[in-house]
Amino acid sequence: NNLTSGDDRFGYYETIAGGAGAGPTWEGRSGVHTHCTNTRITDPEILERRYPVLLRRFGLRKGSGGNGKHKGGDGVIREIEPLRPLVMSILSERRALQPYGLNGGEPGMTGKNLLVKKDGVVLNIGSKRSGSLNVGESLVIETPGGGGYGKATE
């Protein structure tokens, strides 16, 4: 879940958290960076102060983690609206294939990358895309949840 944005005056790069998978003795963590060390997302107040964007939504994607004896962690939802025309590029995974569960645990939900147009039309832009984002539009990133572990009845 990598997002870049910018124009001829600035460039910005961020990694966006998702849900971690569960294991034999633990629940998956929600809204964390997995397999990505020394990384932290920019605080909303700093993002909006330094860059020409509004952060419309940022929170956990409830129910996106897979069920199981130990539940997978939930992903996040992040909606960004530009204050001037920008180029935004998304590079992400698990948009077509669900994060798998283990030993009978259920998979987590796939992620989605959505472009919300000025007229309210919502377009699924897939896992990898670069293009213009105009004033009045927004990019909604829904990151995948982690897979569950073990059967829920165990």
Side-chain angles (χ1 to χ4, degrees):
N1 303 301
N2 300 279
L3 176 69
T4 62
S5 61
D7 58 17
D8 60 348
R9 292 183 273 175
F10 83 99
Y12 175 72
Y13 174 84
E14 71 179 7
T15 58
I16 304 172
T25 59
W26 66 88
E27 305 292 319
R29 293 285 182 207
S30 296
V32 296
H33 286 84
T34 56
H35 306 295
C36 191
T37 60
N38 199 27
T39 303
R40 184 172 170 243
I41 200 161
T42 304
D43 293 329
E45 300 82 4
I46 301 299
L47 178 68
E48 290 183 342
R49 184 179 181 110
R50 292 184 183 169
Y51 303 102
V53 298
L54 289 175
L55 188 58
R56 290 289 182 198
R57 281 190 292 170
F58 183 44
L60 292 178
R61 188 178 173 211
K62 298 287 187 187
S64 59
N67 281 327
K69 179 179 180 183
H70 299 287
K71 188 179 180 324
D74 289 330
V76 301
I77 298 176
R78 191 160 173 93
E79 182 175 5
I80 300 170
E81 180 181 333
L83 298 177
R84 66 181 190 231
L86 299 176
V87 173
M88 289 199 171
S89 300
I90 184 83
L91 174 64
S92 58
E93 291 294 337
R94 296 293 179 187
R95 287 346 190 228
L97 300 174
Q98 293 175 287
Y100 54 86
L102 292 174
N103 287 351
E106 295 180 16
M109 292 175 65
T110 57
K112 296 179 194 172
N113 300 321
L114 307 170
L115 173 60
V116 181
K117 303 293 277 181
K118 288 181 190 179
D119 60 5
V121 170
V122 178
L123 303 171
N124 186 331
I125 61 170
S127 64
K128 294 160 186 66
R129 177 68 58 103
S130 184
S132 296
L133 193 63
N134 296 305
V135 175
E137 299 178 333
S138 67
L139 179 63
V140 179
I141 301 164
E142 299 183 6
T143 66
Y149 186 92
K151 293 185 181 181
T153 57
E154 287 181 19

